[in-house]
Amino acid sequence: MRRFARVLLLVIGSIVALAGLAVALLTGPDDTVSTGERDLTSETPGFVTAASLFDFVGPNMRVAATAADGREVFVGVGHEVDVTGYLDSVAYDQISRLRLPASYDLERVDGTVASVEPEPASRDWWYVSAAGPGRQEVSYALGAEPVNAVVMAADGKAPVAITVELGLQVDNLFTTALLVLAVGVGVILVAVFALRRRRRTRSPANRYSEPAWQGEQLP
């Protein structure tokens, strides 16, 4: 029974250590779980994340984009009501699901309009936004309200070829992952020490030891 408990402790320590290592590798020192840069193309004006995709309270949502053809790109985060109203009747590709660490599931939202007017940067209800040539990036602290992240050409016209990166930044996540890893390694060491100690205590007596005294020897 005690051996089973020691083996179970070893298994638990291994699971904890692997979990901490996986999170640390996925996160990195910047505390961000990121999809990495993904090249996306669309016959629509751009891409919109589903509100359910970032249904969290507390972490910072990070969105970055670069137009592959040198066009100016727009990145913005807004309330779901404002975004859906702005894109009413406009066709776009919705990022409905993330498959970490490297891929997106896209769903086409049909519309009768092929471009967005007026240009997205002209709207004043964005919580955060950035527009221009090269890489554009925004960060937004998620709260209780549903939000959409929007990535499109700055002129609002289709088609688009854009490099997109999405991520969640959680304060001290990397440090916590390292602590979890350390705890797991500590549990493994304790379990290994206990198993080896048990093996030593059950080993046979030294066969070269002096025999017990059988009586007085004659001269």
Side-chain angles (χ1 to χ4, degrees):
M1 188 66 181
R2 290 182 178 179
R3 177 177 175 80
F4 174 78
R6 294 183 178 100
V7 173
L8 180 62
L9 190 64
L10 179 62
V11 172
I12 292 174
S14 300
I15 293 174
V16 172
L18 288 174
L21 178 62
V23 174
L25 293 176
L26 189 62
T27 304
D30 62 352
D31 295 326
T32 301
V33 179
S34 172
T35 63
E37 295 184 342
R38 297 291 150 224
D39 295 331
L40 302 178
T41 59
S42 177
E43 296 301 317
T44 73
F47 305 91
V48 180
T49 63
S52 59
L53 197 63
F54 292 104
D55 189 16
F56 306 99
V57 176
N60 288 325
M61 175 175 58
R62 298 178 62 178
V63 186
T66 306
D69 51 8
R71 296 169 65 186
E72 292 190 356
V73 68
F74 172 85
V75 181
V77 177
H79 194 285
E80 183 182 24
V81 172
D82 294 321
V83 173
T84 54
Y86 176 58
L87 297 176
D88 184 37
S89 300
V90 178
Y92 60 87
D93 282 331
Q94 183 178 74
I95 302 175
S96 58
R97 184 179 179 183
L98 297 180
R99 296 181 182 272
L100 293 175
S103 65
Y104 307 147
D105 285 351
L106 299 177
E107 295 180 358
R108 177 63 55 84
V109 176
D110 294 326
T112 58
V113 181
S115 62
V116 178
E117 294 182 1
E119 296 179 354
S122 66
R123 304 295 85 188
D124 60 3
W125 38 259
W126 298 106
Y127 292 138
V128 290
S129 64
R135 180 183 172 92
Q136 300 296 315
E137 183 174 351
V138 298
S139 178
Y140 176 73
L142 295 170
E145 71 279 0
V147 296
N148 302 109
V150 177
V151 176
M152 63 175 61
D155 59 11
K157 296 180 180 180
V160 291
I162 300 176
T163 300
V164 179
E165 181 176 5
L166 302 175
L168 279 178
Q169 183 181 36
V170 182
D171 291 341
N172 301 316
L173 181 59
F174 183 67
T175 301
T176 301
L178 293 181
L179 290 175
V180 172
L181 173 61
V183 170
V185 171
V187 173
I188 292 173
L189 293 176
V190 170
V192 170
F193 174 79
L195 287 170
R196 293 188 64 181
R197 181 180 180 184
R198 181 177 183 273
R199 184 177 302 171
R200 286 198 301 268
T201 58
R202 294 188 61 184
S203 62
N206 189 344
R207 60 183 175 181
Y208 298 107
S209 60
E210 293 294 331
W213 180 74
Q214 301 295 328
E216 183 178 356
Q217 296 181 350
L218 295 176

